[in-house]
Amino acid sequence: MFDLDQLFQKDPLIPVIIQDAETREVLMLGFTNKEAVELTLKTGTAWFWSRSRRQLWNKGETSGNFLHVAEVRTDCDTDTLLYLCRPDGPTCHTGARSCFFNLIPMEGKDDTP
């Protein structure tokens, strides 16, 4: 079994990237602590630490748009997580599929994807 303490050696909060398990589209970025990771592994849905509310939250508990975690990975430095998820609906609180829909133009580059 993976030792979760390895993840939190540098900081009690680490980033977690949420990616669609099928399309690999990046859906959101959140922060997690050890308790939220333990709940994620136990329940199979994504739990986070809300930095603004300073509390645990289960994505979808109010909207019904849960993120069902299919796979959990860590990066090479063991300080960031990647959750491959199957979303029940839009991930973003705005109703968008992904939280990453605002394009910032780069000088000298065409803005089309």
Side-chain angles (χ1 to χ4, degrees):
M1 185 71 175
F2 183 81
D3 180 9
L4 293 181
D5 290 329
Q6 291 179 38
L7 295 168
F8 303 98
Q9 290 179 1
K10 298 175 190 169
D11 201 291
L13 284 181
I14 62 170
V16 55
I17 301 162
I18 305 301
Q19 198 171 20
D20 186 290
E22 291 181 28
T23 68
R24 299 300 202 234
E25 178 183 11
V26 176
L27 301 175
M28 68 172 275
L29 171 79
F31 287 87
T32 192
N33 61 11
K34 185 177 178 185
E35 185 178 5
V37 173
E38 289 171 338
L39 285 166
T40 297
L41 295 173
K42 181 180 177 181
T43 65
T45 60
W47 285 78
F48 301 94
W49 177 259
S50 171
R51 296 183 301 165
S52 60
R53 294 183 310 231
R54 305 190 60 72
Q55 67 183 31
L56 289 170
W57 63 284
N58 184 215
K59 175 71 176 135
E61 65 188 339
T62 56
S63 68
N65 297 327
F66 288 95
L67 294 168
H68 301 278
V69 181
E71 193 173 306
V72 177
R73 297 181 185 195
T74 184
D75 71 334
C76 57
D77 295 325
T78 320
D79 62 4
T80 302
L81 289 174
L82 171 67
Y83 291 173
L84 297 174
C85 296
R86 292 185 179 84
D88 278 340
T91 299
C92 186
H93 74 280
T94 66
R97 175 171 165 70
S98 168
C99 294
F100 294 96
F101 56 83
N102 291 313
L103 179 65
I104 298 175
M106 296 178 61
E107 288 188 36
K109 294 259 185 176
D110 185 0
D111 289 343
T112 56

